[in-house]
Amino acid sequence: MKKRFLAAAGLMALAACLSGCQGSQGTAASTNGGEAASDTSAASDEDKTLTLWIFLNPESTEDARSIVLKNIVEKYNDENENGYQVVVESMNWDKIETAAIQAAAANTGPDIINFFSDYLQTHIEGGTVQPMTQYAEEFIASMPDYLHTADSLKIGGEIYGLPWETRVYVNWYRKDIYETLPNSLDELVEMAAEKTDERGLGFALGLSEGSSASTFMESFIPWIHSAGGELLDPDGKPLFNSDAGVRVLNTMKALYDSGAMDNSVLSMTLDDVQDGFKAGTIYGISVGSHRASTLYNSDLAENFVSAPIPGFESGTPAPALVAGQTLALGKYCKNTDAAFDFITYFFSEETQIEFLKANSMTVRSSLYDNPDVQALENYDDLAAWNEYASTGTMTVHPDDYAELSVSLVKAAQEVIFNGADPKEQLDSVAAWYNEKHGF
Amino acid sequence: MKKGSEKEVTGKYANVPAYIGLILLACITLAPLLWALSTSLKIPSEVIQFPPTVIPSILDFSNYYKVLFASNFMTYFRNSIVVTGVSLLISTILSMHCAYAVARFDIPHKNALMFGILMTSMIPTVALLIPLYIMAVRLNLYNTRLWLILIYTGWRTPVLTWMMRGFFEQIPKELEEAAMIDGCSKVKAFYTVILPISQTALASSALLTAVYVWNDFLVSFTFVTDEKLKMLSVGLYSYVTQYGIQWGELMAAVCLSIIPIIILFVCLQKRFVAGMAAGAVKG
Amino acid sequence: MTAEKKTRRWKDKWISIIFVAPTILLILFVSIVPMVIAFRTSLHDTNYGEILGFVGLKHYKQILLTGDGWNNIFNTILYAMGSLAVVIPLGVMAAVGLNNKLKCVTLLRTLIILPWVLSQTVVALLWKWLLNGNFGPVSYVWFALTGEKADFFNTAWIARITVILVNVWFTFPIVLILTLAALQSIPLDLFEAAKVDGASRRDLFWKITLPMIKPTILTAVVMQSMEYFSMVTLIFVMTAGGPFDATETISLRAFKEGFTYWHLGLGSAFSIVIFVMNILFSLIYVRILRNKED
């Protein structure tokens, strides 16, 4: 009896190993390709697959953008003359950097990679992407209504990625609670404090260091710009420990001191802030335009209204913070011609309109005049965001942006909740950052 | 017979605190899970509603529908079953042999060897990922189930070996000696006498591995990017999407994903209940 | 006779090698080799995945000579010991309870063990949501009862305790399972003999049950302590180390340094520190439990 059981178990194990190996053969192509990437010409004769790493999953039909991606891939696979086949390997958005840098350490990686523009420098320094300057310059020239210019995308004289989507960070309010919207940050503090009641907070900033403190930075940067300051200078040296930086932290502290928000925001990430707003326990938040459709999935949606982030000067909004999903050529790309050809499929008017319908803001400004787009239900929102977006540009962050963000949010936490001196805190972050980079 | 009835009489009163304690404990463990179940049956706008509702006002199965049919759930599910099944078989087989040899054979530096084996499970997984990644690419095992199985098996075997060794050492040597007098070899005695009474240990080991592999995220995420080979934990994580957490779908996926482990548990727990080891010693 | 003995010994030797070798080889391959590479990495400067010049103990100094590093170590020990202090008694008590001949014991056992089958990510997300100060259901009940807003993650010590309790909720079932398996392999005649001698239920527990399951408890303590020392996801998702670094354990720091900030050298050094702590603590547990025995 027992022997038979063991024999059966052994057989099963063997069978599974074999199936495991089969799986490997099926996909060995992509791995081989990555390794053999150094001699491009030899590999391209045999291997016609291009892998794409992206956060969207064409196998899942839930997110409208996934369906658009699926169509792009199918169209390219049908149309391209050399018989290349794009294979999508989707992964969660906050894992793409990890996966790509790990792969780069082993001298392999995808042919095409999609990431969020904040991490462009991280990918360059991490060795996961290669320049696409020649392709990009030519392509941008053929697309006059593209939001970015070839020069604005250049880093050290080279273009590494093309944003195909754009988003702008805006404030959201409950219009049943805010009769008028604040015109300046000081007014925001004042009004938000008034609106706070036992059910909810007047306004909340997510001050957790979770998700690399991204939600804090999405307020900190526009605010510091509005105060006439900068995060870093063009060489990457810290400028945030200026009067402008101090003013920003003091204003954030005023939100807490005035009771507009309480210490629960200390542990809040973007998702928590957003869910609180949807649940009706927070009356004002700052969230990117790309989250609109998620926000509207609430019983309170009819009371939600978005507006530019107010600035320090009454009536002048803070300069917009703009970012977007970006496509790039993998460092170990087998065939850059074919890969770039695929990338261009994301930018056709038709595709961009599809993405607009799926609530991704387009990078082609002329599409706002397109009748199909104007007929969209959320056209007014889109147009307003687009207009606000033009007051700012996409910033290129340093490769250790995540680390800097976490240090900054910790300084802000000390100032806001523990009464530390803002200047001292910002200075110590700047000193650490200077030392780290040998400035 | 007399003994049994006596036990029942005293038991009736003595078990009351046990009941109370256990039911209380069950409530604590269950409440969050019931909340998850309730969430999975709510429509999106009700999920984030304040004050929250305990029972969904409308029972809505669309979350389950989306998880099952609008994603690659079934592929992930199958991969998880295959990898978990094979890993638990191999790790149990390897560790039971190793543990038995250590417990019953004369092996030089036995204790040092055992401590060495155990030590390998003390290194945190985060340190091993990058070296293993580079090895996988060199060996052309990247994006294969085989690599996942090797890693899971190699990481789980030390603890299992350690556990089973303790178990085998508790078994009186007389059992095998009796069998060997009957003409069995030591190996045959292991398979025919020891293993049948070791079912509690084998079941525990299988369960331990199953839960570990089923829930692991880091390994399956790091070494597999191919959609066709992805495991459930990675697929599940993708419900924590770009636009905020889709609570309803996430919870539906969680509820579906724990079913196989519960089934496995219910099947294996009979082994616990049977109390084979105790019975064998007695007889 | 002697010849037979010799062949037998020779045969035993080969059998033991065949039984042990596959395990050793596999462990060598997937644990020891990468571990050596990780140790080597910890002695070098790194730039993303690239290993640069040798820097000796620089990273270890960075850990052991700074307040940050010791704060991480303190948090780790607190987290592991705090969790063990609740998990072990709770797991053993529940197992003893479930070992009784109760009605619906199978159902109760299954229900109590359920949290164990969840993954760390799911547990962390679920509890973070339940305990959210602004819209979580637990907070709602708390508010309804006390009239005050609940605060689970925003004060250092409360956050530490919250994280430990969630960890307990999620990991005590494994101790329960191990103990239960051990309890059921205790020969019943031991109890019967003791009962004949007139031992009370309490005596049975302290004099027979506990000594018999002691090896299992030791296993559970070592296993769980290793797991708690190395735990990342649960804490990372729930608090990301905050507030004010109160829940930042070494493993969390190792993960952040390695995979968020890409300081692989420093991250590897943190991992090696965890490894050393695991060994130290395992030795301490074994020593304590052995001494008690004597």
Side-chain angles (χ1 to χ4, degrees), chain C residues 35-84:
Chain C
M35 197 160 87
V36 172
I37 300 178
F39 179 65
R40 194 180 144 252
T41 311
S42 77
L43 302 175
H44 287 75
D45 257 336
T46 53
N47 179 34
Y48 293 92
E50 215 182 324
I51 293 176
L52 309 171
F54 180 81
V55 291
L57 295 177
K58 178 180 140 189
H59 295 132
Y60 293 93
K61 284 182 193 151
Q62 213 171 322
I63 298 167
L64 298 174
L65 300 180
T66 60
D68 270 6
W70 282 101
N71 176 44
N72 295 148
I73 293 176
F74 171 77
N75 287 336
T76 309
I77 295 177
L78 188 79
Y79 177 70
M81 297 302 125
S83 301
L84 281 177

Short mmCIF file of all heavy atoms in Angstrom, two decimals, chain C residues 35-84:
data_model
loop_
_atom_site.label_atom_id
_atom_site.label_comp_id
_atom_site.label_asym_id
_atom_site.label_seq_id
_atom_site.Cartn_x
_atom_site.Cartn_y
_atom_site.Cartn_z
N MET C 35 23.54 32.57 -0.15
CA MET C 35 23.86 33.22 1.12
C MET C 35 25.30 33.74 1.09
O MET C 35 25.57 34.84 1.56
CB MET C 35 23.69 32.20 2.24
CG MET C 35 23.60 32.76 3.60
SD MET C 35 22.83 31.53 4.66
CE MET C 35 24.23 30.59 5.18
N VAL C 36 26.19 32.93 0.55
CA VAL C 36 27.58 33.36 0.46
C VAL C 36 27.69 34.59 -0.44
O VAL C 36 28.38 35.56 -0.11
CB VAL C 36 28.47 32.20 -0.06
CG1 VAL C 36 29.88 32.70 -0.35
CG2 VAL C 36 28.50 31.07 0.94
N ILE C 37 26.96 34.55 -1.55
CA ILE C 37 26.97 35.72 -2.44
C ILE C 37 26.45 36.95 -1.70
O ILE C 37 27.02 38.04 -1.81
CB ILE C 37 26.12 35.45 -3.71
CG1 ILE C 37 26.69 34.24 -4.46
CG2 ILE C 37 26.10 36.69 -4.61
CD1 ILE C 37 25.91 33.87 -5.70
N ALA C 38 25.38 36.78 -0.93
CA ALA C 38 24.81 37.91 -0.19
C ALA C 38 25.82 38.45 0.81
O ALA C 38 25.95 39.67 0.98
CB ALA C 38 23.53 37.49 0.52
N PHE C 39 26.54 37.55 1.48
CA PHE C 39 27.53 38.00 2.45
C PHE C 39 28.63 38.81 1.74
O PHE C 39 29.05 39.87 2.21
CB PHE C 39 28.14 36.80 3.18
CG PHE C 39 29.18 37.19 4.18
CD1 PHE C 39 28.84 37.93 5.30
CD2 PHE C 39 30.51 36.83 4.00
CE1 PHE C 39 29.79 38.31 6.22
CE2 PHE C 39 31.47 37.21 4.92
CZ PHE C 39 31.11 37.96 6.03
N ARG C 40 29.04 38.30 0.59
CA ARG C 40 30.05 39.01 -0.19
C ARG C 40 29.54 40.40 -0.57
O ARG C 40 30.25 41.39 -0.44
CB ARG C 40 30.38 38.18 -1.44
CG ARG C 40 31.62 38.64 -2.14
CD ARG C 40 31.90 37.80 -3.37
NE ARG C 40 32.44 38.65 -4.39
CZ ARG C 40 31.80 39.03 -5.49
NH1 ARG C 40 30.57 38.60 -5.70
NH2 ARG C 40 32.36 39.81 -6.36
N THR C 41 28.27 40.45 -1.01
CA THR C 41 27.68 41.74 -1.38
C THR C 41 27.73 42.71 -0.21
O THR C 41 27.97 43.90 -0.39
CB THR C 41 26.23 41.54 -1.84
OG1 THR C 41 26.19 40.50 -2.79
CG2 THR C 41 25.66 42.81 -2.43
N SER C 42 27.49 42.20 1.00
CA SER C 42 27.42 43.09 2.16
C SER C 42 28.76 43.75 2.46
O SER C 42 28.82 44.72 3.20
CB SER C 42 26.92 42.33 3.39
OG SER C 42 27.95 41.53 3.92
N LEU C 43 29.83 43.22 1.90
CA LEU C 43 31.16 43.80 2.13
C LEU C 43 31.60 44.73 1.01
O LEU C 43 32.72 45.21 0.99
CB LEU C 43 32.20 42.69 2.30
CG LEU C 43 31.94 41.69 3.43
CD1 LEU C 43 32.96 40.58 3.40
CD2 LEU C 43 31.96 42.38 4.78
N HIS C 44 30.69 44.95 0.05
CA HIS C 44 31.04 45.78 -1.10
C HIS C 44 30.10 46.97 -1.24
O HIS C 44 28.97 46.93 -0.78
CB HIS C 44 30.99 44.95 -2.39
CG HIS C 44 32.11 43.98 -2.52
ND1 HIS C 44 32.15 42.81 -1.79
CD2 HIS C 44 33.22 43.98 -3.29
CE1 HIS C 44 33.26 42.14 -2.09
NE2 HIS C 44 33.92 42.84 -3.01
N ASP C 45 30.60 47.99 -1.91
CA ASP C 45 29.71 49.06 -2.34
C ASP C 45 28.91 48.56 -3.54
O ASP C 45 29.40 47.70 -4.29
CB ASP C 45 30.53 50.29 -2.77
CG ASP C 45 30.52 51.35 -1.70
OD1 ASP C 45 29.56 51.35 -0.89
OD2 ASP C 45 31.45 52.17 -1.66
N THR C 46 27.72 49.09 -3.70
CA THR C 46 26.92 48.63 -4.84
C THR C 46 26.28 49.82 -5.53
O THR C 46 26.06 50.86 -4.91
CB THR C 46 25.78 47.70 -4.38
OG1 THR C 46 25.03 48.35 -3.37
CG2 THR C 46 26.31 46.39 -3.87
N ASN C 47 26.01 49.66 -6.80
CA ASN C 47 25.21 50.64 -7.53
C ASN C 47 24.13 49.86 -8.25
O ASN C 47 24.41 49.14 -9.19
CB ASN C 47 26.08 51.41 -8.53
CG ASN C 47 25.27 52.42 -9.30
OD1 ASN C 47 24.32 53.00 -8.76
ND2 ASN C 47 25.60 52.61 -10.57
N TYR C 48 22.89 49.97 -7.76
CA TYR C 48 21.82 49.10 -8.24
C TYR C 48 22.29 47.65 -8.20
O TYR C 48 22.82 47.22 -7.18
CB TYR C 48 21.32 49.55 -9.61
CG TYR C 48 20.64 50.89 -9.47
CD1 TYR C 48 21.34 52.08 -9.63
CD2 TYR C 48 19.30 50.96 -9.10
CE1 TYR C 48 20.72 53.29 -9.44
CE2 TYR C 48 18.67 52.17 -8.90
CZ TYR C 48 19.38 53.34 -9.08
OH TYR C 48 18.76 54.53 -8.88
N GLY C 49 22.16 46.90 -9.29
CA GLY C 49 22.54 45.49 -9.22
C GLY C 49 24.03 45.24 -9.34
O GLY C 49 24.50 44.12 -9.24
N GLU C 50 24.78 46.31 -9.54
CA GLU C 50 26.20 46.17 -9.83
C GLU C 50 27.01 46.16 -8.53
O GLU C 50 26.76 46.97 -7.64
CB GLU C 50 26.61 47.40 -10.64
CG GLU C 50 27.64 47.20 -11.68
CD GLU C 50 27.93 48.54 -12.33
OE1 GLU C 50 27.00 49.37 -12.50
OE2 GLU C 50 29.09 48.78 -12.62
N ILE C 51 27.97 45.25 -8.44
CA ILE C 51 28.80 45.21 -7.24
C ILE C 51 30.11 45.94 -7.51
O ILE C 51 30.83 45.61 -8.45
CB ILE C 51 29.04 43.76 -6.81
CG1 ILE C 51 27.69 43.19 -6.34
CG2 ILE C 51 30.07 43.68 -5.69
CD1 ILE C 51 27.72 41.76 -5.96
N LEU C 52 30.41 46.93 -6.67
CA LEU C 52 31.60 47.76 -6.88
C LEU C 52 32.70 47.35 -5.91
O LEU C 52 32.77 46.20 -5.51
CB LEU C 52 31.24 49.24 -6.74
CG LEU C 52 30.03 49.73 -7.56
CD1 LEU C 52 29.66 51.14 -7.17
CD2 LEU C 52 30.34 49.65 -9.05
N GLY C 53 33.48 48.32 -5.47
CA GLY C 53 34.67 48.02 -4.67
C GLY C 53 34.40 47.46 -3.29
O GLY C 53 33.34 47.65 -2.71
N PHE C 54 35.41 46.79 -2.76
CA PHE C 54 35.35 46.21 -1.42
C PHE C 54 35.41 47.32 -0.37
O PHE C 54 36.23 48.20 -0.45
CB PHE C 54 36.55 45.25 -1.25
CG PHE C 54 36.61 44.58 0.08
CD1 PHE C 54 35.83 43.46 0.34
CD2 PHE C 54 37.44 45.06 1.07
CE1 PHE C 54 35.89 42.82 1.56
CE2 PHE C 54 37.50 44.44 2.31
CZ PHE C 54 36.73 43.31 2.55
N VAL C 55 34.49 47.29 0.59
CA VAL C 55 34.51 48.34 1.61
C VAL C 55 34.61 47.78 3.02
O VAL C 55 34.45 48.48 4.00
CB VAL C 55 33.24 49.23 1.55
CG1 VAL C 55 33.26 50.05 0.28
CG2 VAL C 55 31.98 48.41 1.66
N GLY C 56 34.84 46.46 3.12
CA GLY C 56 35.00 45.87 4.44
C GLY C 56 33.72 45.95 5.25
O GLY C 56 32.64 45.67 4.75
N LEU C 57 33.86 46.40 6.50
CA LEU C 57 32.72 46.36 7.40
C LEU C 57 31.91 47.66 7.41
O LEU C 57 31.11 47.88 8.31
CB LEU C 57 33.21 46.04 8.82
CG LEU C 57 33.84 44.65 8.97
CD1 LEU C 57 34.36 44.46 10.39
CD2 LEU C 57 32.84 43.55 8.62
N LYS C 58 32.13 48.51 6.41
CA LYS C 58 31.46 49.81 6.39
C LYS C 58 29.95 49.71 6.68
O LYS C 58 29.42 50.44 7.51
CB LYS C 58 31.68 50.46 5.02
CG LYS C 58 31.00 51.80 4.87
CD LYS C 58 31.26 52.39 3.49
CE LYS C 58 30.01 53.04 2.94
NZ LYS C 58 30.12 53.44 1.55
N HIS C 59 29.29 48.79 5.98
CA HIS C 59 27.84 48.69 6.14
C HIS C 59 27.45 48.21 7.52
O HIS C 59 26.45 48.64 8.08
CB HIS C 59 27.26 47.77 5.08
CG HIS C 59 27.43 48.31 3.69
ND1 HIS C 59 27.91 47.56 2.65
CD2 HIS C 59 27.20 49.54 3.18
CE1 HIS C 59 27.97 48.30 1.56
NE2 HIS C 59 27.55 49.51 1.86
N TYR C 60 28.27 47.32 8.09
CA TYR C 60 27.97 46.83 9.43
C TYR C 60 28.14 47.96 10.45
O TYR C 60 27.37 48.08 11.40
CB TYR C 60 28.84 45.63 9.78
CG TYR C 60 28.50 44.44 8.91
CD1 TYR C 60 29.18 44.19 7.73
CD2 TYR C 60 27.44 43.61 9.26
CE1 TYR C 60 28.83 43.12 6.92
CE2 TYR C 60 27.09 42.54 8.46
CZ TYR C 60 27.79 42.30 7.29
OH TYR C 60 27.43 41.26 6.49
N LYS C 61 29.16 48.78 10.22
CA LYS C 61 29.35 49.92 11.12
C LYS C 61 28.15 50.85 11.03
O LYS C 61 27.67 51.37 12.03
CB LYS C 61 30.63 50.69 10.74
CG LYS C 61 31.90 49.98 11.20
CD LYS C 61 33.11 50.83 10.84
CE LYS C 61 34.39 50.03 10.98
NZ LYS C 61 35.43 50.51 10.05
N GLN C 62 27.67 51.03 9.79
CA GLN C 62 26.52 51.90 9.58
C GLN C 62 25.31 51.41 10.38
O GLN C 62 24.46 52.18 10.79
CB GLN C 62 26.19 51.90 8.09
CG GLN C 62 25.64 53.22 7.59
CD GLN C 62 25.55 53.19 6.07
OE1 GLN C 62 26.43 52.67 5.39
NE2 GLN C 62 24.50 53.77 5.55
N ILE C 63 25.21 50.10 10.56
CA ILE C 63 24.08 49.54 11.30
C ILE C 63 24.33 49.61 12.80
O ILE C 63 23.49 50.06 13.58
CB ILE C 63 23.84 48.08 10.90
CG1 ILE C 63 23.51 47.99 9.41
CG2 ILE C 63 22.72 47.48 11.73
CD1 ILE C 63 23.56 46.59 8.86
N LEU C 64 25.52 49.16 13.21
CA LEU C 64 25.76 48.96 14.64
C LEU C 64 26.27 50.20 15.35
O LEU C 64 26.29 50.24 16.57
CB LEU C 64 26.74 47.79 14.84
CG LEU C 64 26.20 46.45 14.31
CD1 LEU C 64 27.25 45.38 14.41
CD2 LEU C 64 24.94 46.03 15.06
N LEU C 65 26.67 51.20 14.61
CA LEU C 65 27.18 52.41 15.27
C LEU C 65 26.24 53.59 15.12
O LEU C 65 26.61 54.72 15.37
CB LEU C 65 28.58 52.77 14.72
CG LEU C 65 29.66 51.70 14.90
CD1 LEU C 65 30.99 52.17 14.32
CD2 LEU C 65 29.83 51.34 16.37
N THR C 66 25.01 53.35 14.69
CA THR C 66 24.07 54.47 14.57
C THR C 66 22.81 54.19 15.38
O THR C 66 22.44 53.03 15.61
CB THR C 66 23.62 54.69 13.12
OG1 THR C 66 22.99 53.51 12.66
CG2 THR C 66 24.78 55.05 12.21
N GLY C 67 22.18 55.28 15.80
CA GLY C 67 20.94 55.16 16.56
C GLY C 67 19.85 54.49 15.72
O GLY C 67 19.08 53.68 16.21
N ASP C 68 19.83 54.80 14.43
CA ASP C 68 18.85 54.21 13.52
C ASP C 68 18.92 52.69 13.55
O ASP C 68 17.92 52.01 13.69
CB ASP C 68 19.15 54.65 12.07
CG ASP C 68 18.42 55.92 11.72
OD1 ASP C 68 17.81 56.49 12.65
OD2 ASP C 68 18.48 56.32 10.56
N GLY C 69 20.14 52.18 13.40
CA GLY C 69 20.34 50.75 13.36
C GLY C 69 19.85 50.09 14.64
O GLY C 69 19.14 49.08 14.61
N TRP C 70 20.20 50.69 15.78
CA TRP C 70 19.78 50.10 17.06
C TRP C 70 18.29 50.24 17.28
O TRP C 70 17.67 49.37 17.90
CB TRP C 70 20.59 50.68 18.22
CG TRP C 70 21.93 50.03 18.26
CD1 TRP C 70 23.10 50.55 17.81
CD2 TRP C 70 22.22 48.70 18.70
NE1 TRP C 70 24.11 49.62 17.95
CE2 TRP C 70 23.60 48.47 18.49
CE3 TRP C 70 21.45 47.66 19.25
CZ2 TRP C 70 24.23 47.27 18.82
CZ3 TRP C 70 22.08 46.46 19.57
CH2 TRP C 70 23.45 46.27 19.36
N ASN C 71 17.72 51.31 16.77
CA ASN C 71 16.27 51.44 16.84
C ASN C 71 15.61 50.29 16.09
O ASN C 71 14.65 49.67 16.57
CB ASN C 71 15.85 52.79 16.23
CG ASN C 71 14.34 52.95 16.19
OD1 ASN C 71 13.66 52.63 17.17
ND2 ASN C 71 13.82 53.44 15.08
N ASN C 72 16.15 49.96 14.91
CA ASN C 72 15.63 48.83 14.14
C ASN C 72 15.76 47.52 14.92
O ASN C 72 14.84 46.70 14.96
CB ASN C 72 16.37 48.68 12.81
CG ASN C 72 16.16 49.86 11.88
OD1 ASN C 72 17.02 50.21 11.10
ND2 ASN C 72 14.99 50.50 11.98
N ILE C 73 16.91 47.34 15.55
CA ILE C 73 17.13 46.10 16.30
C ILE C 73 16.17 46.02 17.48
O ILE C 73 15.53 44.99 17.71
CB ILE C 73 18.60 46.00 16.76
CG1 ILE C 73 19.51 45.86 15.53
CG2 ILE C 73 18.80 44.85 17.73
CD1 ILE C 73 20.99 45.86 15.83
N PHE C 74 16.02 47.14 18.18
CA PHE C 74 15.08 47.17 19.31
C PHE C 74 13.67 46.82 18.84
O PHE C 74 12.99 45.99 19.44
CB PHE C 74 15.12 48.57 19.96
CG PHE C 74 14.03 48.79 20.98
CD1 PHE C 74 14.15 48.23 22.26
CD2 PHE C 74 12.90 49.53 20.68
CE1 PHE C 74 13.16 48.41 23.20
CE2 PHE C 74 11.90 49.72 21.62
CZ PHE C 74 12.04 49.16 22.89
N ASN C 75 13.24 47.45 17.76
CA ASN C 75 11.89 47.19 17.26
C ASN C 75 11.72 45.72 16.89
O ASN C 75 10.65 45.14 17.12
CB ASN C 75 11.61 48.04 16.02
CG ASN C 75 11.39 49.49 16.37
OD1 ASN C 75 11.02 49.81 17.49
ND2 ASN C 75 11.65 50.38 15.42
N THR C 76 12.75 45.14 16.31
CA THR C 76 12.67 43.74 15.89
C THR C 76 12.49 42.83 17.10
O THR C 76 11.62 41.94 17.11
CB THR C 76 13.96 43.33 15.16
OG1 THR C 76 14.21 44.28 14.14
CG2 THR C 76 13.83 41.95 14.57
N ILE C 77 13.31 43.06 18.12
CA ILE C 77 13.24 42.20 19.30
C ILE C 77 11.89 42.38 19.98
O ILE C 77 11.23 41.41 20.36
CB ILE C 77 14.42 42.51 20.26
CG1 ILE C 77 15.73 42.11 19.57
CG2 ILE C 77 14.26 41.77 21.56
CD1 ILE C 77 16.97 42.43 20.35
N LEU C 78 11.46 43.62 20.08
CA LEU C 78 10.17 43.88 20.70
C LEU C 78 9.05 43.18 19.94
O LEU C 78 8.18 42.53 20.53
CB LEU C 78 9.92 45.39 20.70
CG LEU C 78 8.70 45.84 21.48
CD1 LEU C 78 9.01 45.86 22.97
CD2 LEU C 78 8.23 47.21 21.03
N TYR C 79 9.10 43.28 18.64
CA TYR C 79 8.07 42.68 17.79
C TYR C 79 8.05 41.17 17.95
O TYR C 79 7.01 40.55 18.17
CB TYR C 79 8.34 43.08 16.34
CG TYR C 79 7.39 42.49 15.33
CD1 TYR C 79 6.07 42.91 15.27
CD2 TYR C 79 7.82 41.52 14.43
CE1 TYR C 79 5.21 42.39 14.33
CE2 TYR C 79 6.97 40.99 13.49
CZ TYR C 79 5.66 41.42 13.44
OH TYR C 79 4.80 40.89 12.51
N ALA C 80 9.23 40.56 17.88
CA ALA C 80 9.31 39.10 17.94
C ALA C 80 8.94 38.60 19.34
O ALA C 80 8.11 37.68 19.48
CB ALA C 80 10.70 38.63 17.56
N MET C 81 9.51 39.21 20.37
CA MET C 81 9.24 38.74 21.72
C MET C 81 7.79 39.02 22.12
O MET C 81 7.13 38.18 22.72
CB MET C 81 10.20 39.40 22.73
CG MET C 81 11.65 39.06 22.51
SD MET C 81 11.95 37.29 22.57
CE MET C 81 12.75 37.05 21.01
N GLY C 82 7.31 40.19 21.78
CA GLY C 82 5.92 40.53 22.08
C GLY C 82 4.99 39.54 21.43
O GLY C 82 4.04 39.05 22.06
N SER C 83 5.25 39.21 20.18
CA SER C 83 4.38 38.27 19.48
C SER C 83 4.47 36.88 20.11
O SER C 83 3.45 36.25 20.37
CB SER C 83 4.77 38.18 18.00
OG SER C 83 4.67 39.44 17.39
N LEU C 84 5.70 36.43 20.38
CA LEU C 84 5.88 35.10 20.97
C LEU C 84 5.17 35.00 22.32
O LEU C 84 4.53 33.99 22.62
CB LEU C 84 7.37 34.79 21.17
CG LEU C 84 8.15 34.36 19.94
CD1 LEU C 84 9.61 34.17 20.30
CD2 LEU C 84 7.59 33.07 19.36
#
